Amino acid sequence: MHRRFISMALAVATATALTACTAGTQGAPALGSQPKPSGSGPAALPAGTIELWHGFSSPAEVKAFEDAVAGFRTKFPQITVKLVKGVQDEQITQAVRGGKAPDVASSFTTDNVAQWCNSGTFQDLTAVIKQDGIDLSVLPEVARSYTEFQGKRCAMPLLADAYGLYYNKKLMKGTTPPKTLSELTELAKKLTVRDADGDIEVAGFIPSFEYYENSASHFAPMTGATWYKPDGTSAIGTDPAWKELLRWQKELVDWYGYDKLNKFRKSLGQEWSADHPFYKGKVAMILDGEWRNAMIANEAKDLDYGTAPLPVADAKPELYGSGFTAGTVIGVPKGAKNPQAAWELVKYLTTDTSALVTLSNALRNVPTTKAALESPDLKKDANFQTFLDIFAHPKTSTVPASVNSAFNQDSLQEFLVKWEKGSVTDLDAGLADVDRRINDKLKLAGG
């Protein structure tokens, strides 16, 4: 699931392609357009073949998906399931446009959900969910929110990512993890080590928006910052929570010294390698996703670390325990040749506790139903439990679905890089310009 950093780059190109997604699928039956098979139970589904495209590619990931689908094959022996690995969003879009859509497709990012729903690239599941009596309250509200757009549910959540704080126990020396932004600032300064020239040798916490997982979306829940107004236009320039977040961040950047911090950041090991600076004791506290637990187990087995929710605004203690979440989504593309069987597979993978636990145990991502979160078969320790609790927290949030989701996040990111560098003299005016860019793009998209 840490492939979201790849998917974000693909989302912009995909969104452009989606707007023209109309051709080549008129002959395929639409989901819910045909009567439900007579009789009841799995045997009522006619024999056939369905093809599922997914983005997993490593041998362990592919095996995990095969193991999860094994239960479906037992339940529906008359259905042949063909799995195709390593597929990205743009390939799905092009296949739908060309009339060669798979029956089921999954994606590592939620950033294309609004476009898929809006364009019909993925079929609306509302009718079949109602037909089958599925109670969507088995999913946390935030997971329901990132798989629908304007009343159309064109995807279901498969697995989730949740973001929290990792801390090095040796460097912390018994200090408890911070719960507020002021505590984070104080501890970051206390744990930072500099040499005689003032260069950073160990950073307590790196506040730069250019550092690994420190995106605006991951930071926003710390102050409760919102992305959009009810009418879909940008709230970034008018929500005071953004200014609170950015002023806190800039004060800590300035304490380090932008040039010193940038020099230190560029000297660090790669995020997706055994040279990660958190493993090496170069950074005491980091923001990261639940998957880091599995990577530490593989790449830094002797690291003594703990996990906790991210610190929150001092005046908003009710936010503590929450965080940011997003994740893998799965649905039935337009033009699926066997949509009813495709839906049964989607339903199985996203609501069957055994299937979700199998995937979570193998991939170390968060399962997305309440039953799976509470399953005794789910492998978890204290460090992984932190992220299960964050995902289930009622105030955990995500970036709401928008037809320009990737563009909007990129626009803010561009501004944030200038902000922390000191190139922005007027924060209000800068954020208002971000609003303008986002809203102009929305008008072009017909919003």
Side-chain angles (χ1 to χ4, degrees):
M1 207 86 72
H2 52 266
R3 286 178 180 76
R4 289 192 77 251
F5 78 101
I6 297 174
S7 299
M8 276 291 295
L10 293 171
V12 176
T14 303
T16 302
L18 284 168
T19 59
C21 182
T22 56
T25 58
Q26 287 83 358
L31 185 60
S33 64
Q34 298 174 312
K36 192 172 182 179
S38 60
S40 61
L45 195 65
T49 298
I50 53 177
E51 189 168 273
L52 186 159
W53 289 6
H54 63 82
F56 298 104
S57 57
S58 75
E61 292 172 336
V62 172
K63 182 180 184 303
F65 219 82
E66 286 280 1
D67 290 345
V69 172
F72 178 84
R73 291 182 171 123
T74 299
K75 185 176 182 180
F76 295 94
Q78 74 274 32
I79 301 299
T80 300
V81 180
K82 179 182 178 182
L83 300 181
V84 179
K85 66 180 181 179
V87 179
Q88 299 296 332
D89 289 7
E90 189 173 6
Q91 294 170 270
I92 297 168
T93 302
Q94 294 299 331
V96 173
R97 292 180 66 192
K100 298 179 180 180
D103 297 283
V104 180
S106 70
S107 168
F108 289 127
T109 178
T110 61
D111 291 315
N112 285 323
V113 169
Q115 279 282 8
W116 281 331
C117 291
N118 198 45
S119 65
T121 301
F122 274 32
Q123 299 186 43
D124 191 351
L125 305 176
T126 304
V128 287
I129 288 172
K130 183 178 180 181
Q131 173 182 280
D132 288 358
I134 295 174
D135 181 4
L136 291 179
S137 68
V138 301
L139 305 170
E141 183 178 353
V142 68
R144 300 198 299 270
S145 74
Y146 66 62
T147 45
E148 65 179 355
F149 181 66
Q150 295 183 345
K152 289 184 179 179
R153 169 164 298 285
C154 64
M156 290 284 282
L158 182 54
L159 291 175
D161 292 326
Y163 291 78
L165 186 75
Y166 286 74
Y167 57 93
N168 184 309
K169 290 184 177 181
K170 181 180 179 180
L171 296 178
M172 295 280 277
K173 298 178 181 178
T175 305
T176 57
K179 291 186 176 181
T180 66
L181 292 181
S182 62
E183 290 176 358
L184 175 57
T185 295
E186 181 181 359
L187 191 55
K189 293 177 179 180
K190 178 182 177 181
L191 299 179
T192 295
V193 178
R194 299 178 189 261
D195 65 17
D197 295 324
D199 289 331
I200 302 166
E201 294 184 336
V202 176
F205 179 82
I206 296 179
S208 171
F209 282 113
E210 295 188 85
Y211 178 68
Y212 300 161
E213 297 296 323
N214 290 7
S215 67
S217 58
H218 299 167
F219 267 33
M222 295 195 294
T223 59
T226 56
W227 287 84
Y228 307 114
K229 298 176 182 178
D231 63 359
T233 58
S234 178
I236 292 169
T238 55
D239 184 349
W242 281 110
K243 284 182 278 189
E244 179 182 15
L245 176 66
L246 298 189
R247 285 172 178 148
W248 163 79
Q249 183 262 353
K250 185 65 164 64
E251 286 176 4
L252 190 52
V253 168
D254 289 346
W255 179 83
Y256 277 108
Y258 175 79
D259 290 339
K260 297 285 188 183
L261 189 63
N262 204 38
K263 177 182 178 181
F264 178 69
R265 179 181 62 81
K266 290 181 177 180
S267 73
L268 300 174
Q270 294 295 315
E271 180 179 8
W272 311 111
S273 76
D275 290 326
H276 192 292
F278 183 67
Y279 305 165
K280 302 299 183 181
K282 300 291 288 183
V283 184
M285 298 177 288
I286 61 169
L287 177 157
D288 217 331
E290 81 294 331
W291 65 77
R292 184 61 60 186
N293 287 291
M295 298 186 78
I296 290 172
N298 290 330
E299 299 169 345
K301 295 179 181 180
D302 296 329
L303 181 64
D304 188 14
Y305 76 101
T307 62
L310 288 170
V312 300
D314 292 58
K316 298 178 181 178
E318 71 279 4
L319 293 177
Y320 188 72
S322 66
F324 175 83
T325 188
T328 293
V329 298
I330 188 168
V332 180
K334 178 181 180 181
K337 299 177 180 62
N338 196 342
Q340 186 60 44
W343 161 242
E344 290 293 342
L345 179 55
V346 170
K347 180 172 66 173
Y348 176 80
L349 289 174
T350 58
T351 63
D352 184 86
T353 299
S354 177
L356 285 167
V357 169
T358 295
L359 281 171
S360 178
N361 285 343
L363 303 175
R364 305 317 291 145
N365 298 128
V366 177
T368 38
T369 67
K370 296 175 183 178
L373 288 168
E374 298 169 0
S375 172
D377 297 324
L378 184 64
K379 296 177 183 177
K380 51 192 174 185
D381 56 20
N383 285 332
F384 191 68
Q385 184 66 50
T386 296
F387 298 92
L388 302 180
D389 294 340
I390 291 170
F391 178 69
H393 195 283
K395 291 190 178 296
T396 284
S397 59
T398 191
V399 178
S402 168
V403 291
N404 299 315
S405 183
F407 173 87
N408 298 346
Q409 293 175 70
D410 288 344
S411 296
L412 180 56
Q413 175 66 19
E414 290 173 15
F415 170 77
L416 295 178
V417 172
K418 297 176 183 176
W419 163 251
E420 69 180 46
K421 192 175 184 178
S423 301
V424 177
T425 57
D426 187 331
L427 179 57
D428 288 323
L431 292 177
D433 187 60
V434 173
D435 281 348
R436 179 192 59 77
R437 291 187 63 193
I438 291 173
N439 294 338
D440 285 350
K441 183 72 170 179
L442 183 62
K443 290 178 183 177
L444 290 174

